mmCIF file of all heavy atoms in Angstrom:
data_model
loop_
_atom_site.group_PDB
_atom_site.id
_atom_site.type_symbol
_atom_site.label_atom_id
_atom_site.label_comp_id
_atom_site.label_asym_id
_atom_site.label_seq_id
_atom_site.Cartn_x
_atom_site.Cartn_y
_atom_site.Cartn_z
ATOM 1 N N GLY A 189 -15.149 -15.927 3.130
ATOM 2 C CA GLY A 189 -14.797 -17.339 3.056
ATOM 3 C C GLY A 189 -15.930 -18.252 2.638
ATOM 4 O O GLY A 189 -15.808 -19.473 2.704
ATOM 5 N N GLU A 190 -17.023 -17.669 2.175
ATOM 6 C CA GLU A 190 -18.190 -18.478 1.805
ATOM 7 C C GLU A 190 -18.628 -18.172 0.369
ATOM 8 O O GLU A 190 -18.401 -17.073 -0.143
ATOM 9 C CB GLU A 190 -19.358 -18.193 2.754
ATOM 10 C CG GLU A 190 -19.074 -18.557 4.210
ATOM 11 C CD GLU A 190 -20.214 -18.137 5.118
ATOM 12 O OE1 GLU A 190 -21.130 -17.420 4.647
ATOM 13 O OE2 GLU A 190 -20.186 -18.522 6.306
ATOM 14 N N VAL A 191 -19.274 -19.163 -0.248
ATOM 15 C CA VAL A 191 -19.861 -18.961 -1.575
ATOM 16 C C VAL A 191 -21.233 -18.316 -1.402
ATOM 17 O O VAL A 191 -22.083 -18.835 -0.682
ATOM 18 C CB VAL A 191 -19.989 -20.301 -2.329
ATOM 19 C CG1 VAL A 191 -20.740 -20.101 -3.644
ATOM 20 C CG2 VAL A 191 -18.611 -20.903 -2.590
ATOM 21 N N ASN A 192 -21.428 -17.158 -2.030
ATOM 22 C CA ASN A 192 -22.693 -16.419 -1.920
ATOM 23 C C ASN A 192 -23.599 -16.678 -3.117
ATOM 24 O O ASN A 192 -24.330 -15.805 -3.550
ATOM 25 C CB ASN A 192 -22.423 -14.913 -1.827
ATOM 26 C CG ASN A 192 -22.015 -14.479 -0.437
ATOM 27 O OD1 ASN A 192 -21.500 -15.282 0.328
ATOM 28 N ND2 ASN A 192 -22.228 -13.225 -0.108
ATOM 29 N N GLY A 193 -23.507 -17.882 -3.683
ATOM 30 C CA GLY A 193 -24.322 -18.209 -4.848
ATOM 31 C C GLY A 193 -23.539 -18.060 -6.133
ATOM 32 O O GLY A 193 -22.395 -17.607 -6.148
ATOM 33 N N SER A 194 -24.158 -18.461 -7.236
ATOM 34 C CA SER A 194 -23.494 -18.368 -8.540
ATOM 35 C C SER A 194 -23.894 -17.069 -9.236
ATOM 36 O O SER A 194 -24.915 -16.455 -8.917
ATOM 37 C CB SER A 194 -23.854 -19.577 -9.402
ATOM 38 O OG SER A 194 -25.249 -19.617 -9.615
ATOM 39 N N PHE A 195 -23.070 -16.657 -10.200
ATOM 40 C CA PHE A 195 -23.292 -15.402 -10.898
ATOM 41 C C PHE A 195 -22.746 -15.533 -12.307
ATOM 42 O O PHE A 195 -21.680 -16.111 -12.506
ATOM 43 C CB PHE A 195 -22.583 -14.267 -10.146
ATOM 44 C CG PHE A 195 -22.844 -12.901 -10.710
ATOM 45 C CD1 PHE A 195 -23.956 -12.173 -10.329
ATOM 46 C CD2 PHE A 195 -21.963 -12.350 -11.630
ATOM 47 C CE1 PHE A 195 -24.196 -10.919 -10.854
ATOM 48 C CE2 PHE A 195 -22.195 -11.106 -12.170
ATOM 49 C CZ PHE A 195 -23.318 -10.387 -11.771
ATOM 50 N N PRO A 196 -23.449 -15.017 -13.318
ATOM 51 C CA PRO A 196 -24.786 -14.397 -13.246
ATOM 52 C C PRO A 196 -25.878 -15.432 -12.972
ATOM 53 O O PRO A 196 -25.675 -16.622 -13.201
ATOM 54 C CB PRO A 196 -24.943 -13.766 -14.627
ATOM 55 C CG PRO A 196 -24.035 -14.535 -15.522
ATOM 56 C CD PRO A 196 -22.893 -14.991 -14.682
ATOM 57 N N GLN A 197 -27.001 -14.954 -12.473
ATOM 58 C CA GLN A 197 -28.076 -15.856 -12.061
ATOM 59 C C GLN A 197 -28.946 -16.251 -13.253
ATOM 60 O O GLN A 197 -30.065 -15.783 -13.420
ATOM 61 C CB GLN A 197 -28.919 -15.209 -10.970
ATOM 62 C CG GLN A 197 -28.161 -15.070 -9.646
ATOM 63 C CD GLN A 197 -29.021 -14.460 -8.562
ATOM 64 O OE1 GLN A 197 -29.865 -13.622 -8.829
ATOM 65 N NE2 GLN A 197 -28.810 -14.881 -7.322
ATOM 66 N N CYS A 198 -28.389 -17.119 -14.085
ATOM 67 C CA CYS A 198 -29.168 -17.643 -15.207
ATOM 68 C C CYS A 198 -28.658 -19.053 -15.497
ATOM 69 O O CYS A 198 -27.550 -19.413 -15.103
ATOM 70 C CB CYS A 198 -29.033 -16.764 -16.444
ATOM 71 S SG CYS A 198 -27.342 -16.594 -17.036
ATOM 72 N N ASN A 199 -29.470 -19.837 -16.156
ATOM 73 C CA ASN A 199 -29.079 -21.212 -16.472
ATOM 74 C C ASN A 199 -27.972 -21.224 -17.520
ATOM 75 O O ASN A 199 -28.019 -20.476 -18.505
ATOM 76 C CB ASN A 199 -30.289 -22.007 -16.990
ATOM 77 C CG ASN A 199 -31.320 -22.223 -15.894
ATOM 78 O OD1 ASN A 199 -30.961 -22.332 -14.717
ATOM 79 N ND2 ASN A 199 -32.579 -22.260 -16.268
ATOM 80 N N ASN A 200 -26.981 -22.083 -17.296
ATOM 81 C CA ASN A 200 -25.884 -22.271 -18.249
ATOM 82 C C ASN A 200 -25.222 -20.946 -18.646
ATOM 83 O O ASN A 200 -25.049 -20.659 -19.834
ATOM 84 C CB ASN A 200 -26.383 -22.987 -19.515
ATOM 85 C CG ASN A 200 -26.993 -24.336 -19.184
ATOM 86 O OD1 ASN A 200 -26.446 -25.081 -18.378
ATOM 87 N ND2 ASN A 200 -28.124 -24.642 -19.806
ATOM 88 N N ALA A 201 -24.888 -20.145 -17.628
ATOM 89 C CA ALA A 201 -24.205 -18.878 -17.913
ATOM 90 C C ALA A 201 -22.888 -19.168 -18.622
ATOM 91 O O ALA A 201 -22.155 -20.074 -18.226
ATOM 92 C CB ALA A 201 -23.942 -18.135 -16.604
ATOM 93 N N PRO A 202 -22.584 -18.438 -19.698
ATOM 94 C CA PRO A 202 -21.340 -18.704 -20.434
ATOM 95 C C PRO A 202 -20.111 -18.457 -19.567
ATOM 96 O O PRO A 202 -20.088 -17.524 -18.762
ATOM 97 C CB PRO A 202 -21.402 -17.716 -21.602
ATOM 98 C CG PRO A 202 -22.343 -16.642 -21.155
ATOM 99 C CD PRO A 202 -23.332 -17.311 -20.255
ATOM 100 N N LYS A 203 -19.107 -19.312 -19.737
ATOM 101 C CA LYS A 203 -17.869 -19.153 -18.984
ATOM 102 C C LYS A 203 -17.042 -18.014 -19.580
ATOM 103 O O LYS A 203 -17.153 -17.707 -20.759
ATOM 104 C CB LYS A 203 -17.062 -20.469 -19.000
ATOM 105 C CG LYS A 203 -17.663 -21.576 -18.120
ATOM 106 C CD LYS A 203 -17.529 -21.206 -16.650
ATOM 107 C CE LYS A 203 -18.231 -22.185 -15.721
ATOM 108 N NZ LYS A 203 -17.616 -23.497 -15.660
ATOM 109 N N TYR A 204 -16.209 -17.449 -18.751
ATOM 110 C CA TYR A 204 -15.353 -16.356 -19.183
ATOM 111 C C TYR A 204 -14.375 -16.816 -20.258
ATOM 112 O O TYR A 204 -13.794 -17.891 -20.161
ATOM 113 C CB TYR A 204 -14.570 -15.802 -17.981
ATOM 114 C CG TYR A 204 -13.600 -14.696 -18.346
ATOM 115 C CD1 TYR A 204 -14.044 -13.404 -18.524
ATOM 116 C CD2 TYR A 204 -12.247 -14.973 -18.545
ATOM 117 C CE1 TYR A 204 -13.164 -12.392 -18.888
ATOM 118 C CE2 TYR A 204 -11.355 -13.968 -18.909
ATOM 119 C CZ TYR A 204 -11.826 -12.679 -19.071
ATOM 120 O OH TYR A 204 -10.956 -11.681 -19.439
ATOM 121 N N GLN A 205 -14.215 -16.002 -21.291
ATOM 122 C CA GLN A 205 -13.259 -16.272 -22.369
ATOM 123 C C GLN A 205 -12.049 -15.345 -22.226
ATOM 124 O O GLN A 205 -12.216 -14.153 -21.972
ATOM 125 C CB GLN A 205 -13.917 -16.035 -23.733
ATOM 126 C CG GLN A 205 -15.166 -16.855 -23.970
ATOM 127 C CD GLN A 205 -14.887 -18.358 -23.987
ATOM 128 O OE1 GLN A 205 -13.966 -18.810 -24.649
ATOM 129 N NE2 GLN A 205 -15.690 -19.112 -23.249
#
Side-chain angles (χ1 to χ4, degrees):
E190 298 175 351
V191 174
N192 280 25
S194 61
F195 185 86
Q197 291 182 326
C198 60
N199 292 329
N200 302 317
K203 287 291 174 69
Y204 177 80
Q205 303 297 312

